[in-house]
Amino acid sequence: MRRAWICCGKNKTGSSCFGILEAIMRRLIIRPGGIGDFIVSLPAIGCLRAEVCEVWSAPMNVPLVRFADRARAISSTGLDLLGVTEPPAALVETLRQFDSIVSWYGANRPEFRDLVRELHLPFTFFPAVPPQGARCHAVDFYLEQVRTLADCDSDGIPRIVCAGERENFAVIHPFSGSPRKNWPIEKFRAVARGLERQMAVRWCAGPEDPPLDDAVRLDDLYELACWLARARLYIGNDSGITHLAAAVATPVLALFGPTDPSVWAPRGPNVRIARTGREWAPPMVGA
C-alpha cells in the first residue's frame, strides 16, 4: 500500500522531518458482463471500495459506477490484449499503480492468468458466474467471494441512488437478452390495457431490442435508472433492465421462465416474482 506523508516541522539539526499520515490502498475492480451481471455484483463491489478505487466494466455499465474515483470501459484499456500479444507497456504500467486488482475478467483464460503472474501484478481472480446447479443467489455468491479479501456486512441488496419523486405511471419492458426469456408481447399488451385503467403505461426498449412503437429508449443507463425510479410500477422479463428497476427501489414484477429465480431474481424490498409457465394475475395497484 502507498503511504501519505506530511511535513511535521524541523528537527534539532534544522533538516526537514516528515511523518506518516496513513496507508492508502489503491484498488482496481474489473467486472465484465451484462447489465444484470453488473448489478447483482454491486454489493460485493461496494465491499471492495478502497481509499483510491477504480472500476473497469462493460461500456454500457460505466455510467452506473457512481461510487469510484474513476470508471473505464474494459474495451478502452487494452486489457483484452494481455495473453494474446506483447503486453502494452502503458497498460502494464497502469496496472502496476494498484496495490490490489480484483478481477472477474480472465478467470477462465489460463494464458491471461499466467501472464499477470509472470508480470507480478497483484491480481485476485474470481469466477464470473455461479457454477451450474448453484442454489445460492448470485448476490450472495459474489459477496462470499469478496469476504475472503475484505470485511463486509452488506445486506445483499443492490442499490443505485437517484433523486426524484414517484409519478403515476407504469413501465413495461417486454424484452431481454434472450428470446427464451421473453413472455409473449401480446400478453404484455393485455396487462397494459388493464393497468391503463389506473395509470399511464410507458413502454421501454434498449438500443438492441426489436422495434417498439412509442418506446422510451435511453442509452445512458444511469439516465434510464433515474427515469425508472420515478415509475410507480415496473413489469419486465428476467433482464438487466428489470434488475436496474429493482436497484432504484421501484416496485417490480419480474417474469421468469427458464432461468432459476432463486439464483438470478432481482433483489429489493419491492420485488415480486412470477413464473411465466404458470397462471398468474398482475397485482392491482391501489390509489
Side-chain angles (χ1 to χ4, degrees):
M1 289 189 293
R2 278 67 171 172
R3 295 185 182 274
W5 298 74
I6 56 171
C7 177
C8 58
K10 295 185 178 181
N11 59 23
K12 292 181 179 178
T13 63
S15 60
S16 297
C17 120
F18 292 84
I20 296 173
L21 177 62
E22 61 179 344
I24 296 177
M25 165 71 78
R26 296 176 57 87
R27 174 169 281 152
L28 170 62
I29 302 165
I30 307 174
R31 182 50 171 126
I35 300 167
D37 299 323
F38 187 79
I39 291 173
V40 295
S41 305
L42 283 176
I45 292 172
C47 291
L48 293 171
R49 292 178 194 171
E51 289 85 358
V52 177
C53 183
E54 187 165 322
V55 176
W56 296 0
S57 69
M60 69 278 193
N61 292 326
V62 169
L64 298 180
V65 182
R66 320 297 292 183
F67 48 83
D69 297 287
R70 188 183 186 192
R72 299 177 66 185
I74 294 172
S75 57
S76 73
T77 66
L79 189 68
D80 55 340
L81 298 178
L82 280 184
V84 177
T85 65
E86 184 69 21
L91 171 63
V92 174
E93 181 59 30
T94 295
L95 295 173
R96 290 196 193 284
Q97 295 174 9
F98 295 97
D99 305 296
S100 168
I101 302 173
V102 180
S103 182
W104 285 276
Y105 177 97
N108 293 324
R109 289 179 55 194
E111 74 287 352
F112 182 92
R113 297 197 311 273
D114 290 345
L115 181 58
V116 300
R117 190 180 304 113
E118 291 172 13
L119 294 170
H120 303 290
L121 296 171
F123 270 78
T124 299
F125 290 102
F126 290 130
V129 293
Q132 189 70 27
R135 301 307 302 169
C136 73
H137 195 280
V139 169
D140 299 324
F141 175 74
Y142 299 122
L143 281 171
E144 286 307 306
Q145 291 176 331
V146 303
R147 282 177 175 140
T148 64
L149 298 178
D151 293 333
C152 183
D153 60 358
S154 170
D155 63 3
I157 297 177
R159 291 181 175 86
I160 297 169
V161 177
C162 288
E165 306 247 343
R166 288 260 186 252
E167 300 177 24
N168 194 35
F169 68 92
V171 173
I172 296 178
H173 177 234
F175 305 117
S176 72
S178 169
R180 294 175 58 247
K181 298 180 181 181
N182 293 350
W183 206 42
I185 195 164
E186 296 79 10
K187 295 192 175 185
F188 278 113
R189 294 191 188 282
V191 170
R193 288 192 292 272
L195 285 172
E196 283 169 347
R197 302 188 189 107
Q198 303 175 66
M199 67 187 75
V201 174
R202 299 178 185 175
W203 296 81
C204 170
E208 297 181 2
D209 288 335
L212 183 64
D213 290 344
D214 300 323
V216 172
R217 296 178 184 265
L218 296 172
D219 292 342
D220 185 296
L221 281 185
Y222 186 69
E223 290 182 12
L224 178 59
C226 292
W227 179 70
L228 292 173
R230 291 158 42 202
R232 195 171 167 200
L233 174 66
Y234 169 96
I235 300 175
N237 299 303
D238 168 24
S239 72
I241 304 306
T242 300
H243 283 276
L244 190 66
V248 295
T250 293
V252 165
L253 178 61
L255 309 179
F256 271 71
T259 315
D260 185 353
S262 69
V263 179
W264 293 110
R267 272 196 173 168
N270 302 317
V271 175
R272 298 293 179 269
I273 307 299
R275 300 305 298 266
T276 57
R278 305 172 187 172
E279 291 299 320
W280 66 281
M284 296 300 291
V285 180

